Amino acid sequence: MHSMQIQNDFSLKKYNTFGIEAKAKQFVAVHSTDELREVLKQHPNDKKFILGGGSNMLLTQDVDALVIHVDLKGKRVVSQDEDFVTVEAQAGENWHGFVLWTIGQNFGGLENMSLIPGNVGTTPIQNIGAYGTEIKDTFVSCDAMEIATQKIHTFTNAECRFGYRESVFKQELKNRYIITSVQFKLTKRNHKINTSYGDIMAELAKQNIDTPQLKDVSNAVIAIRQSKLPDPKELGNSGSFFKNPIISKTDFDQVQAKFPDIKFFPVSETEVKVPAGWLIEQAGFKGMRFGDAGVHKNQALVLVNYGHASGQDILNVSKEIQRTILEKFGIAIEAEVNVI
Ligand code: EPU
């Protein structure tokens, strides 16, 4: 068993994909639910901060709390029949590693979400998604430990109340539970290959693939992501910094009258989703750099750290973008990453 050593004034630079220098007042990594329970029991009154892969947060200050890094590992097949398999991964498993493990066994359903940074345990919190798929489409349940009681509760798909980059864990249950493992139901045959997202079709055509297998879809997604999204190992970032705003059809019609080229996706009879990346690019921010903080040159939705930006530097750029988009288009865009 690992020793559970609590460290003081611990640098979080390697634990956030933005690569921001910030310190945790205290830091501990836990490798099992028993260790997690023990830490929670030993520190009932300390302020706690739960850290997974650090791929969806912007640290604008030191973290004045006990940072608990959830490092539970393991993945397994829970049950299966001829058509479907239920798989489980522990919260600390790297998401992309898990996706490749499922594809390697010809289990279908996660391939469109290849190469998303972060760990499995944080995927339900914001219902991660890409290229026409979200985890809610295959998610069965997750186990989570209640911080106050250390009891494990199993949340079903319905109980998670998933929405676009949303779940109960960002709302009523915020900071109350720590997700320890997640189960997904995947296909073993008759895979639902989903190439409806335009970029995937174009990428497969480029490779002359007309009957794509799971691996082909995964490879296409990897190629697209690598061409647009910066690798956090090379350039600090947190993926999409903003959510794509969902606005009323009435508001949209007004904006479209002024900007006929605007891109959009219908969400319902009355609502439309607008790509924030398009708005940001139109406002002239794409590729702009302000000191060490900037807007990525290939995808305007991604803010980047060129080296020594502080969280505050990145936050200031994000606020300037929000202000300009509101002024130019009358649309309010909201951060997707958690600003700490
Ligand atoms: N666009 C621009 N300029 C840009 C970026 C995008 O004009 O700089 C336009 C594109 O031309 C396209 C539309 O916006 O017409 C959509 O672009 P893209 O397919 O790149 O996707 P996105 O809406 O910008 C979302 C997710 C990504 C996910 C992709 C693919 C959100 C907040 N982001 O981005 O997720 O990979 O779709 O499914 O929903 C993430 O959440 O961290 C993330 C990377």
Side-chain angles (χ1 to χ4, degrees), residues 21 29 39 74 79 87 89-90 104 135 154 160-161 176 195 226 229 232 238 280 286 308 319:
E21 182 56 86
V39 167
S79 63
V87 293
Q90 298 300 305
I135 68 150
T154 302
C160 292
R161 290 205 254 115
R176 284 189 42 200
T195 59
Q226 285 176 338
L229 299 166
S238 226
I280 299 167
K286 195 172 184 169
H308 298 99
K319 285 186 173 158

mmCIF file of all heavy atoms in Angstrom, residues 21 29 39 74 79 87 89-90 104 135 154 160-161 176 195 226 229 232 238 280 286 308 319:
data_model
loop_
_atom_site.group_PDB
_atom_site.id
_atom_site.type_symbol
_atom_site.label_atom_id
_atom_site.label_comp_id
_atom_site.label_asym_id
_atom_site.label_seq_id
_atom_site.Cartn_x
_atom_site.Cartn_y
_atom_site.Cartn_z
ATOM 1 N N GLU A 21 1.379 27.981 -12.234
ATOM 2 C CA GLU A 21 2.062 27.821 -10.951
ATOM 3 C C GLU A 21 1.131 28.305 -9.842
ATOM 4 O O GLU A 21 0.769 29.487 -9.794
ATOM 5 C CB GLU A 21 3.364 28.616 -10.952
ATOM 6 C CG GLU A 21 4.188 28.496 -9.679
ATOM 7 C CD GLU A 21 4.528 27.042 -9.313
ATOM 8 O OE1 GLU A 21 5.534 26.542 -9.834
ATOM 9 O OE2 GLU A 21 3.787 26.441 -8.516
ATOM 10 N N ALA A 29 -2.321 12.384 -2.202
ATOM 11 C CA ALA A 29 -2.841 11.541 -3.273
ATOM 12 C C ALA A 29 -3.409 10.277 -2.639
ATOM 13 O O ALA A 29 -2.769 9.693 -1.762
ATOM 14 C CB ALA A 29 -1.733 11.192 -4.257
ATOM 15 N N VAL A 39 -8.591 9.626 4.770
ATOM 16 C CA VAL A 39 -8.241 11.055 4.707
ATOM 17 C C VAL A 39 -9.438 11.922 5.106
ATOM 18 O O VAL A 39 -9.304 12.872 5.874
ATOM 19 C CB VAL A 39 -7.765 11.441 3.279
ATOM 20 C CG1 VAL A 39 -7.708 12.953 3.116
ATOM 21 C CG2 VAL A 39 -6.406 10.839 3.001
ATOM 22 N N GLY A 74 -7.613 1.189 -12.228
ATOM 23 C CA GLY A 74 -8.184 -0.113 -12.527
ATOM 24 C C GLY A 74 -9.305 -0.008 -13.536
ATOM 25 O O GLY A 74 -10.045 0.982 -13.549
ATOM 26 N N SER A 79 -19.837 -7.167 -16.754
ATOM 27 C CA SER A 79 -20.750 -8.214 -17.223
ATOM 28 C C SER A 79 -20.889 -8.075 -18.728
ATOM 29 O O SER A 79 -20.576 -7.024 -19.289
ATOM 30 C CB SER A 79 -22.123 -8.064 -16.559
ATOM 31 O OG SER A 79 -22.681 -6.823 -16.940
ATOM 32 N N VAL A 87 -18.529 -2.052 -18.743
ATOM 33 C CA VAL A 87 -17.146 -1.905 -18.296
ATOM 34 C C VAL A 87 -17.081 -0.860 -17.190
ATOM 35 O O VAL A 87 -17.941 0.026 -17.120
ATOM 36 C CB VAL A 87 -16.195 -1.491 -19.454
ATOM 37 C CG1 VAL A 87 -16.066 -2.606 -20.485
ATOM 38 C CG2 VAL A 87 -16.664 -0.202 -20.115
ATOM 39 N N ALA A 89 -14.308 1.729 -14.970
ATOM 40 C CA ALA A 89 -12.962 2.270 -14.751
ATOM 41 C C ALA A 89 -12.955 3.031 -13.437
ATOM 42 O O ALA A 89 -13.946 3.691 -13.085
ATOM 43 C CB ALA A 89 -12.556 3.194 -15.893
ATOM 44 N N GLN A 90 -11.852 2.934 -12.729
ATOM 45 C CA GLN A 90 -11.686 3.709 -11.500
ATOM 46 C C GLN A 90 -11.422 5.172 -11.873
ATOM 47 O O GLN A 90 -10.905 5.475 -12.953
ATOM 48 C CB GLN A 90 -10.533 3.145 -10.665
ATOM 49 C CG GLN A 90 -10.763 1.703 -10.204
ATOM 50 C CD GLN A 90 -11.998 1.550 -9.341
ATOM 51 O OE1 GLN A 90 -12.151 2.221 -8.330
ATOM 52 N NE2 GLN A 90 -12.926 0.689 -9.769
ATOM 53 N N GLY A 104 -9.609 -1.485 -28.186
ATOM 54 C CA GLY A 104 -8.735 -2.652 -28.373
ATOM 55 C C GLY A 104 -9.479 -3.967 -28.218
ATOM 56 O O GLY A 104 -9.079 -4.994 -28.779
ATOM 57 N N ILE A 135 -20.820 11.486 -22.940
ATOM 58 C CA ILE A 135 -20.752 10.264 -22.132
ATOM 59 C C ILE A 135 -22.130 9.809 -21.654
ATOM 60 O O ILE A 135 -22.346 8.632 -21.419
ATOM 61 C CB ILE A 135 -19.749 10.322 -20.946
ATOM 62 C CG1 ILE A 135 -20.209 11.282 -19.882
ATOM 63 C CG2 ILE A 135 -18.331 10.534 -21.365
ATOM 64 C CD1 ILE A 135 -19.708 10.821 -18.520
ATOM 65 N N THR A 154 -24.406 4.923 -5.369
ATOM 66 C CA THR A 154 -24.367 4.701 -6.813
ATOM 67 C C THR A 154 -25.394 5.610 -7.487
ATOM 68 O O THR A 154 -26.571 5.581 -7.128
ATOM 69 C CB THR A 154 -24.660 3.222 -7.136
ATOM 70 O OG1 THR A 154 -23.694 2.412 -6.467
ATOM 71 C CG2 THR A 154 -24.578 2.953 -8.636
ATOM 72 N N CYS A 160 -27.965 11.488 -12.464
ATOM 73 C CA CYS A 160 -26.900 12.468 -12.762
ATOM 74 C C CYS A 160 -27.447 13.707 -13.465
ATOM 75 O O CYS A 160 -26.780 14.733 -13.516
ATOM 76 C CB CYS A 160 -25.811 11.834 -13.628
ATOM 77 S SG CYS A 160 -24.883 10.581 -12.743
ATOM 78 N N ARG A 161 -28.660 13.613 -14.003
ATOM 79 C CA ARG A 161 -29.312 14.731 -14.704
ATOM 80 C C ARG A 161 -28.362 15.451 -15.664
ATOM 81 O O ARG A 161 -28.072 16.641 -15.538
ATOM 82 C CB ARG A 161 -29.937 15.691 -13.698
ATOM 83 C CG ARG A 161 -31.132 14.990 -13.063
ATOM 84 C CD ARG A 161 -32.163 15.920 -12.531
ATOM 85 N NE ARG A 161 -32.085 15.939 -11.096
ATOM 86 C CZ ARG A 161 -31.743 16.989 -10.377
ATOM 87 N NH1 ARG A 161 -31.492 18.146 -10.950
ATOM 88 N NH2 ARG A 161 -31.685 16.898 -9.081
ATOM 89 N N ARG A 176 -20.045 17.892 -2.801
ATOM 90 C CA ARG A 176 -20.558 16.974 -1.768
ATOM 91 C C ARG A 176 -20.110 15.536 -1.969
ATOM 92 O O ARG A 176 -20.076 14.759 -1.024
ATOM 93 C CB ARG A 176 -22.082 17.046 -1.715
ATOM 94 C CG ARG A 176 -22.556 18.317 -1.006
ATOM 95 C CD ARG A 176 -24.035 18.305 -0.747
ATOM 96 N NE ARG A 176 -24.512 17.015 -0.275
ATOM 97 C CZ ARG A 176 -25.789 16.641 -0.355
ATOM 98 N NH1 ARG A 176 -26.682 17.448 -0.873
ATOM 99 N NH2 ARG A 176 -26.162 15.460 0.097
ATOM 100 N N THR A 195 -20.599 8.995 -37.697
ATOM 101 C CA THR A 195 -19.704 9.901 -38.434
ATOM 102 C C THR A 195 -20.475 11.140 -38.870
ATOM 103 O O THR A 195 -20.086 11.825 -39.815
ATOM 104 C CB THR A 195 -19.102 9.210 -39.675
ATOM 105 O OG1 THR A 195 -20.181 8.790 -40.523
ATOM 106 C CG2 THR A 195 -18.273 8.008 -39.306
ATOM 107 N N GLN A 226 -5.741 16.613 -33.043
ATOM 108 C CA GLN A 226 -4.335 17.030 -33.080
ATOM 109 C C GLN A 226 -4.116 18.210 -34.012
ATOM 110 O O GLN A 226 -3.206 18.999 -33.805
ATOM 111 C CB GLN A 226 -3.440 15.843 -33.465
ATOM 112 C CG GLN A 226 -3.276 14.870 -32.299
ATOM 113 C CD GLN A 226 -2.477 13.639 -32.642
ATOM 114 O OE1 GLN A 226 -2.367 13.268 -33.813
ATOM 115 N NE2 GLN A 226 -1.935 12.973 -31.629
ATOM 116 N N LEU A 229 -6.438 21.219 -31.769
ATOM 117 C CA LEU A 229 -6.322 21.475 -30.334
ATOM 118 C C LEU A 229 -4.886 21.297 -29.867
ATOM 119 O O LEU A 229 -4.241 20.308 -30.217
ATOM 120 C CB LEU A 229 -7.247 20.525 -29.563
ATOM 121 C CG LEU A 229 -8.735 20.660 -29.884
ATOM 122 C CD1 LEU A 229 -9.530 19.481 -29.342
ATOM 123 C CD2 LEU A 229 -9.279 21.961 -29.313
ATOM 124 N N PRO A 232 -1.589 19.690 -24.330
ATOM 125 C CA PRO A 232 -1.228 20.372 -23.071
ATOM 126 C C PRO A 232 0.230 20.151 -22.664
ATOM 127 O O PRO A 232 0.790 20.970 -21.939
ATOM 128 C CB PRO A 232 -2.164 19.754 -22.033
ATOM 129 C CG PRO A 232 -3.217 19.031 -22.779
ATOM 130 C CD PRO A 232 -2.714 18.766 -24.166
ATOM 131 N N SER A 238 -6.789 24.161 -21.451
ATOM 132 C CA SER A 238 -7.814 23.386 -20.768
ATOM 133 C C SER A 238 -8.940 23.027 -21.730
ATOM 134 O O SER A 238 -10.091 22.968 -21.350
ATOM 135 C CB SER A 238 -8.368 24.237 -19.625
ATOM 136 O OG SER A 238 -8.438 23.469 -18.472
ATOM 137 N N ILE A 280 -15.744 34.221 -31.365
ATOM 138 C CA ILE A 280 -14.448 34.740 -30.898
ATOM 139 C C ILE A 280 -13.539 35.045 -32.092
ATOM 140 O O ILE A 280 -12.863 36.070 -32.129
ATOM 141 C CB ILE A 280 -13.786 33.745 -29.908
ATOM 142 C CG1 ILE A 280 -14.686 33.550 -28.670
ATOM 143 C CG2 ILE A 280 -12.397 34.224 -29.494
ATOM 144 C CD1 ILE A 280 -14.295 32.386 -27.781
ATOM 145 N N LYS A 286 -8.744 35.295 -32.514
ATOM 146 C CA LYS A 286 -8.054 34.041 -32.817
ATOM 147 C C LYS A 286 -6.564 34.279 -33.021
ATOM 148 O O LYS A 286 -6.181 35.147 -33.810
ATOM 149 C CB LYS A 286 -8.671 33.411 -34.067
ATOM 150 C CG LYS A 286 -8.303 31.957 -34.277
ATOM 151 C CD LYS A 286 -9.123 31.373 -35.423
ATOM 152 C CE LYS A 286 -8.871 29.902 -35.612
ATOM 153 N NZ LYS A 286 -9.842 29.318 -36.538
ATOM 154 N N HIS A 308 4.590 31.317 -18.906
ATOM 155 C CA HIS A 308 4.548 31.816 -17.535
ATOM 156 C C HIS A 308 3.332 32.685 -17.243
ATOM 157 O O HIS A 308 3.378 33.550 -16.373
ATOM 158 C CB HIS A 308 5.843 32.561 -17.204
ATOM 159 C CG HIS A 308 7.048 31.677 -17.278
ATOM 160 N ND1 HIS A 308 7.881 31.643 -18.368
ATOM 161 C CD2 HIS A 308 7.513 30.748 -16.416
ATOM 162 C CE1 HIS A 308 8.822 30.743 -18.170
ATOM 163 N NE2 HIS A 308 8.627 30.187 -16.988
ATOM 164 N N LYS A 319 -12.140 37.481 -19.827
ATOM 165 C CA LYS A 319 -13.132 38.533 -19.534
ATOM 166 C C LYS A 319 -13.218 39.531 -20.676
ATOM 167 O O LYS A 319 -14.300 40.014 -21.019
ATOM 168 C CB LYS A 319 -12.766 39.257 -18.232
ATOM 169 C CG LYS A 319 -13.088 38.401 -17.019
ATOM 170 C CD LYS A 319 -12.860 39.172 -15.733
ATOM 171 C CE LYS A 319 -13.345 38.356 -14.538
ATOM 172 N NZ LYS A 319 -12.709 38.790 -13.297
#
